[in-house]
Structure formats: structure tokens, C-alpha cells
Amino acid sequence: MATVRQRIELIDALRAIALFGILQVNIQSFLHGAGDPLGYFLAPPGALDTAVYLAIGTFVSLKFLSLFALLFGYGFTLQMRKLRQREGLAGAKRHYRRRLSFLLAVGLAHGLLLYYGDILTGYAIAGFVLVLYAGARSRRLLSVARNFFIAYLVLSLLQIVTIERARRAFPFEGDPSALPREILDQFAVMTTGTYLEQLPSRIEDFLLQCMGLVYSVPLFVALFALGALAARQRWIERPQRFVRLWQSAVPIGLVGLLLSALGAWFNYRTMREAPGNPDLVGYTLMGLAFPALALYLAFIVRHRDAPWMQGLIAWLAPAGRMPLTNYLMQSVLMGALLTGWGLALGLVLGRAELALLALAIVAVQIVLSRWWIARFRQGPVEWLWRKATYGGDP
């Protein structure tokens, strides 16, 4: 049976894996602004760029963001359990809302100043919803997850129906095969402009991103509730008690991957042939493919006791103990390496090279995280987060 420390390391390692998967998506679209989550093709894609686009769209996009959200809900249960023992339910909710307020402030600053595609703002808003169910029974949490999943699906379908009807009512009159001028201007500003020159565009993109929270927050709440339930019932720590659940994760995950592969192909074809007048079919299918995370999670949980997996978990866990620090640092590094105020490598790197650069950033973060955690209890931003929440150690 796994020890408490091993179980905690597994959760930390999963958090690190999710964080590194998010980077693979973010780095592809960092220079392109709000729009397609995997960015645009500035030139006709070759075989390698096509393969990377389809691989990331199929196996990475949204899956690790969803895993990160699931683990956020998992951490919520653990933190609330500790706080309730000391201060009761009302006091626990009060402290957690302070925690969310700090996260919201950091998310807004991150989105406005570093990267328009910030997820912390949406997480904070969804977290305030989750707090409402802090004292709910397990059956109620499952109902919350189901209802918010349904809301996400309905909103996604309404979005595509509304936009497609608008496209038919007001036919596009330009050249659909040409990239919109604003995308080219955005890329030029990001790769050649100074930080201050990039700032107005980044702020505009972030505000557009915030408008889209009406679609993403229901998904976050659903995943948070599911993660909170997983922690309460110990799905990950004691998988032998939930054999049917983990068996069902495999076909659910495979269906998610199938949807993701179809969405990635449709999206690739649109970005290659009609970026000026894209449809949302591929984008929506990719957005409905989040269940694929169940397949990844089932694989890791099933092999958690294998020596090679134990070694991987031990290496990754320190990075997962400081996720907020590492998430923000990824945006700083992408700016410093890709944009005009840094090395401007975005001008010369293709998609495969960007994917390799993301792996290099991951390697550096793993090494630095291991060095830091060996000397300190938590990451620097996590320390500020704790101080803002509790004024000291809880």
C-alpha cells in the first residue's frame, strides 16, 4: 500500500504533468493573440508542422488544462478539510475566498501584463462557485459536476449554432484563404515591438478572452467538483476500491481522443485553407474532447507502483509543489525568448521547434524546482499566496 508521502507526490507529479502540457499549447499561440488556441499558419505548413499541429491538437489541447482543473478541485477538498478542523465551515469558506481573491488578482495581472491566455482568472471565478458547495454531500458534488458539464455542452453547441447561422446570414466577402490583417499585425508587434508597444494588443486580447469565460467557467466548475469528489472518496489514492470507475475511464478517454482527433483535423484544414473565415466545428469538437484526460489519468494511476513510474513521479513532484510560480514563469520565459522585448525567436521558430523549446523550458523548471524545494518549503509565489490567505502558516 502506498504511503501518505507517495500519494502526495503522485498528486504533485500529476500537477506538474498538467502544467507542462498546458505550456505545449500556450507556446504555439503565444504570438498570435486571441483566436485559434493553436495559433495560425503564417506560411503553408510542411509535413513536420502539420504533424506537430495535429499531435498537439489531438493529444494535448484542453486535456492538461482539464487535468489541472481537476487537481484544483482535489486540492480544494484537502485544504477545506484542514481548515474546517480548525475554524469550522464558515471560517474555512472565509479563508478560501481570501485565497481565491489573491488568485484572481494574480490572474488579472498575468493576463494584462504577460499572457492574454491566462487561466487563473477563470479558475478563481469558478472557485468562488465551488465554495458554495463546500459543505455539500458527495452525491450533491456529483450532481454539481453533472449539471455544469451539461451547461458547458449546451453553451458550446449554442455558440457554434449561433455563429454558423450568422455566417450564413452575412456571407464573408473577402479572401478566406488570406490571413486577417489583424493577425499579421499582432504577430509583427509581438515579434518586433517593445514591451510597451505590445501591451495594448495584449490587454485587448485578454479582455476578449475574459468574454469567453461564460463558456469555460462551467467546465472549470464541473471539473473542480469532480476533483473535489475524487479527493473526498480517494479515487486516486485507493483505486482498488473503484475498479469499475477506472475501467470505465478507458472507453470514456478513447471517445474523447476520437473527438479530439476529428476536431484537430477540421481545425487544421480550416487554418490551412480558410483562416480568414474559419468555422467553429473543429474548435468545438476539440473543446468537447476533455474526457480524454480520463485515459491519461487511468494510465498513470494503474502504473503508479512501477519502478519507472515511481522514479518519474519523484522527479516531477517538486515542480508540482510550486505550480503557480512555474505557471507564471512560463509566461515570462515565453516573452523573453519569443517576443521583440526578448530574443525574438518567434520570428524563426517553426511549430516543431516551439514544441522542443517548450520541452527545454520544462527541463529547466524541473531542475530549478528540485533545487528550490530541497531548500524551501514552497515556491515564492505560493509563499505570497499563503501569506495573503492566512497572514502566516495556517
Side-chain angles (χ1 to χ4, degrees):
M1 182 177 292
T3 65
V4 173
R5 179 171 181 176
Q6 286 173 327
R7 293 196 296 267
I8 293 174
E9 280 194 334
L10 174 57
I11 299 303
D12 288 336
L14 286 171
R15 196 176 287 115
I17 291 170
L19 187 67
F20 298 150
I22 290 171
L23 175 62
Q24 278 291 352
V25 176
N26 290 349
I27 202 169
Q28 297 291 338
S29 59
F30 188 80
L31 300 172
H32 297 275
D36 187 82
L38 295 181
Y40 297 84
F41 295 114
L42 299 178
L48 187 56
D49 280 350
T50 296
V52 170
Y53 186 97
L54 293 175
I56 294 177
T58 300
F59 298 106
V60 184
S61 182
L62 194 64
K63 289 77 175 175
F64 293 94
L65 177 66
S66 299
L67 176 58
F68 208 47
L70 191 80
L71 295 170
F72 188 101
Y74 191 100
F76 169 82
T77 288
L78 300 184
Q79 290 157 356
M80 289 296 293
R81 183 183 298 162
K82 183 185 298 184
L83 287 169
R84 288 184 69 175
Q85 291 173 353
R86 293 182 44 160
E87 305 186 32
L89 181 58
K93 286 184 175 182
R94 182 176 63 254
H95 273 102
Y96 203 84
R97 288 190 179 103
R98 289 173 60 183
R99 181 176 179 84
L100 292 171
S101 296
F102 178 87
L103 187 67
L104 180 60
V106 172
L108 290 172
H110 176 239
L112 292 169
L113 301 177
L114 290 175
Y115 175 46
Y116 75 91
D118 168 76
I119 62 172
L120 304 179
T121 304
Y123 276 25
I125 295 172
F128 282 113
V129 178
L130 183 64
V131 171
L132 299 176
Y133 304 99
R137 296 179 180 273
S138 295
R139 182 175 295 180
R140 177 59 172 155
L141 277 179
L142 184 60
S143 176
V144 169
R146 181 197 63 216
N147 292 341
F148 275 93
F149 274 133
I150 293 173
Y152 171 71
L153 295 175
V154 170
L155 286 171
S156 297
L157 294 176
L158 281 176
Q159 180 187 40
I160 190 171
V161 168
T162 301
I163 292 179
E164 288 304 311
R165 289 185 66 180
R167 279 159 51 90
R168 288 178 172 81
F170 305 98
F172 182 72
E173 296 181 354
D175 180 4
S177 65
L179 271 174
R181 186 67 200 177
E182 57 268 23
I183 299 298
L184 297 173
D185 291 342
Q186 169 84 358
F187 184 80
V189 169
M190 290 295 292
T191 52
T192 63
T194 65
Y195 176 82
L196 291 179
E197 289 172 338
Q198 297 168 11
L199 199 56
S201 178
R202 183 177 293 111
I203 292 173
E204 181 180 352
D205 285 333
F206 177 62
L207 294 177
L208 287 173
Q209 186 87 349
C210 287
M211 293 174 61
L213 290 178
V214 67
Y215 300 101
S216 56
V217 164
L219 176 60
F220 293 159
V221 174
L223 290 167
F224 285 4
L226 199 61
L229 182 62
R232 184 178 293 185
Q233 298 188 346
R234 301 185 178 183
W235 294 352
I236 295 175
E237 297 98 318
R238 299 177 180 177
Q240 67 277 5
R241 294 187 176 183
F242 303 96
V243 174
R244 290 181 62 186
L245 183 146
W246 288 111
Q247 287 177 342
S248 65
V250 174
I252 289 173
L254 289 174
V255 170
L257 275 185
L258 176 61
L259 287 174
S260 191
L262 289 173
W265 170 251
F266 284 128
N267 220 49
Y268 163 77
R269 190 175 62 180
T270 295
M271 290 300 105
R272 185 190 62 187
E273 299 175 0
N277 185 33
D279 62 53
L280 288 182
V281 174
Y283 179 79
T284 302
L285 285 174
M286 290 171 64
L288 297 177
F290 60 86
L293 76 92
L295 185 64
Y296 302 169
L297 194 55
F299 176 83
I300 294 171
V301 170
R302 179 179 180 182
H303 296 283
R304 69 195 185 283
D305 294 325
W308 63 271
M309 182 64 80
Q310 285 293 311
L312 181 63
I313 289 171
W315 265 96
L316 293 178
R321 287 182 60 184
M322 42 192 294
L324 191 53
T325 297
N326 280 324
Y327 176 69
L328 296 174
M329 186 54 62
Q330 286 176 356
S331 294
V332 173
L333 290 174
M334 285 190 291
L337 294 171
L338 300 179
T339 73
W341 64 263
L343 298 180
L345 295 178
L347 284 169
V348 296
L349 297 184
R351 288 185 174 271
E353 293 161 323
L354 286 172
L356 291 175
L357 180 60
L359 291 177
I361 292 174
V362 164
V364 170
Q365 288 194 308
I366 291 173
V367 172
L368 291 179
S369 297
R370 291 179 62 82
W371 179 90
W372 185 276
I373 292 300
R375 291 159 178 79
F376 304 98
R377 182 180 175 183
Q378 56 195 167
V381 183
E382 285 74 16
W383 179 83
L384 289 173
W385 199 3
R386 179 183 291 271
K387 296 289 284 187
T389 304
Y390 310 106
D393 291 336

